[in-house]
Amino acid sequence: MTEMRNLSAAEIADLQNGIYKGVCLLGYYETRDTPGPVIYHLSATLGTDDGGSIIETGGIKLEHNFTHDLDVRYFGVKGKGTYNDTPFILSYFNYVNANNLFWVIPGGFKVVVKQPFEIEASGRCDGKFILRNENGEVNITIARRFNGEAVDISTWDTVKMKRGSLDVGFSNTGVANLYFVSEEILIDRDDTPSETSYKKIEFIRSVDGKLTTPLVCSYRQDPQNLQVLKVKKYIFEEPISIDNLSIETDGNLNEAKYLFVNRDNVTLNNPQIINKINNMGVVNVGAVALEIQECADVIINSPFIKGFRKAGVGYGIANYYSIGVIINDGNVIECRHGYTGRSSVDVTINRGVWEDGIDDHWTDRFTANNTIVKTGKGAAAFQFAGNDITLNSPIVNGSASIFFGIRLDTPSLGGIVNINNPIFNTEDSRNQSATRDIYMFSYTSPGGNVGNAMLQKYAVDPKLPESLNIINPIINTDANIVYGFFLGVLNRKYTNIKNLKITDTIVNAKPTTQYTAVQIIKDSVKQQEYSTNIEISGSLKTNALATTAVYLYSMDKTDYIRRANIYLTDCFGYGRVVFSGANLETLIMDGGDINSFNTDYTYASYADCNIQFKNVEWKGGSIDRLTHALFQNCVFTGDYVFPSADDVSLVNNVRYAGVSGLPPNIINSLRAPFA
């Protein structure tokens, strides 16, 4: 290339006179250092010298129009790992992007880059990029070809701009993705003063004006306030695919991301991002490896990310304001959180290892299939705010305290939450907590911050999901106290859970472990909307000796509002249920075995409770009060301590049919009308 730039005046004249048709370049720095020779022709192009396709020399321009797979060596990239390739790589990708060419980084190349650059085309990286932050952040952006344009929403039907809508009055031909940004508060955030709340932001698909995915937010109906909402339209981007993109950190660390995806219809195959500085023994470093933002339909296959642990952030993959992101077979390790998200829609994570947890501040329709989450001591493996979450066959390893936690800094989780076939492996590896509790599902601060003003500053009330299903959980732990579902006291009004279901459960613990499938602390002053329906079915298999199916506790012992309904079906292996007339409306147990039912508040009346035990084997224990209950086809086989038959206030209104083993002193003391 140096020789071509230094053509003699005679050679230039011969080119201009047509004696020579062009110049054959045999290599960039030396012969055969490019994949093959290329011929440059005399050109009248208006383009400028880019060091690869256009070369200016002696007042003329020589041009070669590259096609097909464009190797980076044709633009002078050396890839030695010690050489600054920045100007060459910038020229190379400017040309690739402008001409939509497939790009190639050869195997073994270590391309040092000190300035950020964009990629807009498909390509393959068989080498690696070393991003060296010297004077400013350096990153790679997978960028759009087309900028978004503002949409006039003045004629939109404000009545239809509600969650679930597919028609807002948008007029458009063809495919477009819409970016909604509102000044309305979606959910408050307990955080620094600079970030006190999250706004209503979402990315939505449309075809010919109709939304093809429903809105996940509702927007103000007052036409005078429409200026708080802005909508941007992005036209269809052709799909691109990038293989084996490999990035290593070098020099100073970025405050933000290293790889940024800001384009629709992108597939990344086998991307790799490694924080080498973290591997050198530096702790608390590395903010974000890969960030996805403001885009649709991104697929990431087999990412490997390592070493992002910065306090407060430190994310392997951060996914913001997107729709349709799919991540397959990730291996994201040594990160504060393997994945985090905010205001995204339709996210799917399939398989992979995620360390230290999957964390999302607000996503609608999140699904994780067969993921393995590795956690540190006391962590929550999954932390969420948003709506409609499904976890299929998740495995949690490590020393987590919480399997699935509703984020207490953004304390809202709605819709249906399904946790199917979870395995929770957690142990106190350092043996420093003799009384450590663990939870399958709770707020991330399980006790609810009693005596703490944390929740009082929120404008939006906390919310539990309408339905929570925990199907066939397996818990392996050395903890002393284990809960399936735990709802502590919240110090402000909240939307209560409506339906809770737990099926066949295995708890491998210590004999001294106490296991409670459901514990709810009821406070109807703050508990809004629903009475909770609790359904537990199937067997509990455990070596723990103290087990409870449901424990209801009332903050106000005289409060009979929004009481819970309990349905136990074919339940075997649970020791007891605990409740009182103040917090129980219905208890129907059909099939199974049990030891005791105990009262949370002895003097609360059961007069308007519906308590039925059918086809139940009572295996010995205690019954605090025996009033207003139906025993049908039950058998009492164990030793019991019953209420005194002499105290008629404790034994009354009991129905029984086909019951065997009920002590004579109880039968003889039954009061009308059931004697």
Side-chain angles (χ1 to χ4, degrees):
M1 181 60 72
T2 301
E3 294 175 2
M4 191 166 76
R5 290 187 183 279
N6 294 316
L7 291 176
S8 68
E11 290 169 327
I12 291 173
D14 288 343
L15 283 166
Q16 290 173 322
N17 293 328
I19 295 175
Y20 298 120
K21 292 183 177 180
V23 178
C24 183
L25 191 72
L26 302 179
Y28 202 93
Y29 296 103
E30 58 187 34
T31 301
R32 297 188 183 89
D33 67 358
T34 55
V38 292
I39 296 175
Y40 287 79
H41 296 277
L42 190 66
S43 173
T45 178
L46 297 178
T48 58
D49 191 329
D50 60 9
S53 69
I54 300 173
I55 305 300
E56 298 183 27
T57 177
I60 64 169
K61 293 179 181 178
L62 298 171
E63 182 176 12
H64 178 84
N65 292 314
F66 289 98
T67 60
H68 309 300
D69 297 2
L70 178 55
D71 191 291
V72 74
R73 286 173 286 188
Y74 287 117
F75 273 69
V77 174
K78 291 185 175 180
K80 301 297 185 182
T82 56
Y83 182 76
N84 181 13
D85 286 309
T86 303
F88 306 95
I89 208 73
L90 295 182
S91 291
Y92 173 74
F93 276 106
N94 283 340
Y95 185 80
V96 162
N97 294 338
N99 294 278
N100 196 22
L101 296 180
F102 189 92
W103 54 271
V104 177
I105 307 296
F109 265 43
K110 299 178 181 179
V111 182
V112 175
V113 184
K114 300 182 180 181
Q115 294 180 34
F117 64 94
E118 295 184 350
I119 300 175
E120 298 175 2
S122 296
R124 185 180 72 254
C125 176
D126 294 326
K128 67 177 64 175
F129 290 98
I130 299 174
L131 301 187
R132 182 168 295 165
N133 180 336
E134 292 185 351
N135 300 311
E137 298 203 351
V138 52
N139 52 61
I140 301 173
T141 297
I142 313 301
R144 285 188 168 86
R145 290 191 173 279
F146 309 107
N147 293 325
E149 59 179 272
V151 176
D152 181 2
I153 62 174
S154 62
T155 60
W156 282 19
D157 189 340
T158 58
V159 175
K160 295 181 179 179
M161 291 170 60
K162 295 180 179 178
R163 177 177 172 83
S165 177
L166 290 170
D167 184 4
V168 295
F170 178 44
S171 178
N172 188 69
T173 300
V175 176
N177 293 321
L178 301 178
Y179 184 48
F180 289 70
V181 180
S182 174
E183 291 301 312
E184 293 181 74
I185 293 175
L186 173 67
I187 185 70
D188 286 330
R189 171 82 191 269
D190 174 64
D191 201 4
T192 61
S194 62
E195 187 180 28
T196 57
S197 62
Y198 291 148
K199 305 298 178 64
K200 292 182 177 180
I201 299 175
E202 58 184 302
F203 212 77
I204 295 294
R205 304 182 186 93
S206 77
V207 176
D208 294 334
K210 296 294 190 297
L211 307 185
T212 57
T213 45
L215 286 177
V216 301
C217 296
S218 294
Y219 298 93
R220 293 179 185 174
Q221 309 307 311
D222 182 357
Q224 300 302 315
N225 286 325
L226 275 180
Q227 68 272 15
V228 304
L229 172 65
K230 295 180 180 179
V231 179
K232 187 182 291 186
K233 178 180 76 173
Y234 293 99
I235 65 173
F236 180 78
E237 296 266 1
E238 67 176 14
I240 66 170
S241 178
I242 298 174
D243 296 338
N244 308 326
L245 181 58
S246 180
I247 297 171
E248 289 184 3
T249 63
D250 193 28
N252 301 315
L253 279 165
N254 287 354
E255 289 296 322
K257 63 272 181 183
Y258 283 88
L259 178 60
F260 182 36
V261 179
N262 187 224
R263 175 196 174 111
D264 303 337
N265 299 311
V266 174
T267 298
L268 297 178
N269 294 315
N270 309 308
Q272 178 174 284
I273 307 173
I274 299 176
N275 179 6
K276 299 291 285 189
I277 296 174
N278 191 45
N279 295 339
M280 294 167 59
V282 181
V283 296
N284 193 27
V285 294
V288 179
L290 189 162
E291 182 173 317
I292 306 163
Q293 184 169 319
E294 197 178 318
C295 56
D297 302 313
V298 174
I299 300 173
I300 304 174
N301 293 316
S302 302
F304 177 72
I305 296 172
K306 181 179 179 181
F308 292 82
R309 284 195 179 277
K310 189 171 183 179
V313 286
Y315 305 128
I317 298 177
N319 178 22
Y320 304 138
Y321 325 129
S322 70
I323 188 168
V325 169
I326 299 173
I327 306 172
N328 298 315
D329 301 299
N331 189 0
V332 185
I333 60 174
E334 297 183 16
C335 295
R336 178 178 172 268
H337 288 301
Y339 171 93
T340 191
R342 183 189 308 166
S343 297
S344 293
V345 182
D346 293 330
V347 176
T348 302
I349 297 179
N350 294 315
R351 301 170 300 278
V353 176
W354 303 85
E355 183 182 290
D356 182 357
I358 291 176
D359 159 277
D360 199 286
H361 295 268
W362 192 282
T363 285
D364 269 53
R365 304 191 297 271
F366 180 100
T367 301
N369 298 310
N370 302 101
T371 53
I372 298 174
V373 175
K374 299 173 67 175
T375 65
K377 184 176 175 61
F382 296 91
Q383 300 182 65
F384 278 91
N387 295 281
D388 300 321
I389 311 299
T390 298
L391 308 181
N392 293 316
S393 301
I395 298 174
V396 170
N397 297 326
S399 302
S401 291
I402 299 173
F403 186 96
F404 188 114
I406 300 178
R407 300 190 60 94
L408 204 64
D409 59 0
T410 46
S412 183
L413 186 63
I416 299 174
V417 176
N418 293 313
I419 306 175
N420 299 316
N421 304 305
I423 299 176
F424 189 11
N425 302 314
T426 181
E427 62 179 357
D428 185 3
S429 58
R430 291 179 291 179
N431 297 315
Q432 293 180 347
S433 177
T435 59
R436 188 170 71 98
D437 303 347
I438 70 162
Y439 308 82
M440 276 295 301
F441 188 100
S442 73
Y443 275 95
T444 51
S445 181
N449 291 281
V450 177
N452 186 314
M454 176 179 175
L455 291 178
Q456 297 294 348
K457 64 181 95 171
Y458 295 158
V460 179
D461 289 339
K463 182 172 69 172
L464 285 129
E466 181 174 335
S467 294
L468 168 63
N469 302 303
I470 304 175
I471 308 301
N472 303 341
I474 298 174
I475 303 172
N476 302 309
T477 183
D478 63 353
N480 290 338
I481 300 175
V482 180
Y483 296 95
F485 172 90
F486 183 91
L487 175 60
V489 179
L490 298 181
N491 59 8
R492 67 169 296 137
K493 292 182 178 180
Y494 65 95
T495 299
N496 196 28
I497 188 169
K498 183 178 181 181
N499 301 303
L500 170 60
K501 180 178 182 179
I502 300 178
T503 68
D504 295 270
T505 301
I506 297 174
V507 179
N508 296 310
K510 301 178 295 187
T512 55
T513 295
Q514 300 176 42
Y515 174 70
T516 302
V518 176
Q519 176 150 331
I520 294 178
I521 300 177
K522 177 181 173 295
D523 180 1
S524 68
V525 174
K526 297 183 175 68
Q527 165 191 322
Q528 304 294 305
E529 298 289 342
Y530 304 119
S531 299
T532 300
N533 300 312
I534 303 168
E535 178 183 347
I536 300 179
S537 63
S539 61
L540 168 65
K541 297 178 181 178
T542 182
N543 57 333
L545 300 178
T547 62
T548 303
V550 181
Y551 194 123
L552 301 179
Y553 178 85
S554 296
M555 294 294 292
D556 185 342
K557 305 300 185 182
T558 62
D559 177 4
Y560 291 79
I561 302 172
R562 285 186 282 276
R563 295 176 296 171
N565 301 298
I566 302 175
Y567 305 94
L568 307 178
T569 305
D570 294 326
C571 279
F572 295 90
Y574 291 96
R576 63 173 182 165
V577 290
V578 182
F579 54 85
S580 76
N583 52 42
L584 177 75
E585 182 172 344
T586 300
L587 169 60
I588 298 177
M589 183 173 183
D590 191 348
D593 56 35
I594 199 165
N595 291 348
S596 310
F597 72 75
N598 306 127
T599 56
D600 160 48
Y601 176 54
T602 305
Y603 299 102
S605 172
Y606 293 134
D608 64 347
C609 297
N610 177 15
I611 303 175
Q612 303 180 35
F613 295 98
K614 304 176 182 179
N615 308 304
V616 175
E617 179 183 359
W618 291 79
K619 301 179 72 171
S622 64
I623 301 176
D624 289 353
R625 301 186 74 198
L626 196 58
T627 71
H628 299 84
L630 166 67
F631 293 86
Q632 183 174 348
N633 297 326
C634 295
V635 57
F636 287 77
T637 60
D639 294 328
Y640 270 89
V641 177
F642 286 96
S644 170
D646 299 327
D647 188 347
V648 296
S649 67
L650 295 180
V651 185
N652 66 334
N653 291 341
V654 175
R655 309 183 193 200
Y656 72 98
V659 175
S660 62
L662 192 63
N665 68 323
I666 299 300
I667 295 176
N668 295 336
S669 302
L670 297 180
R671 298 174 58 191
F674 309 117

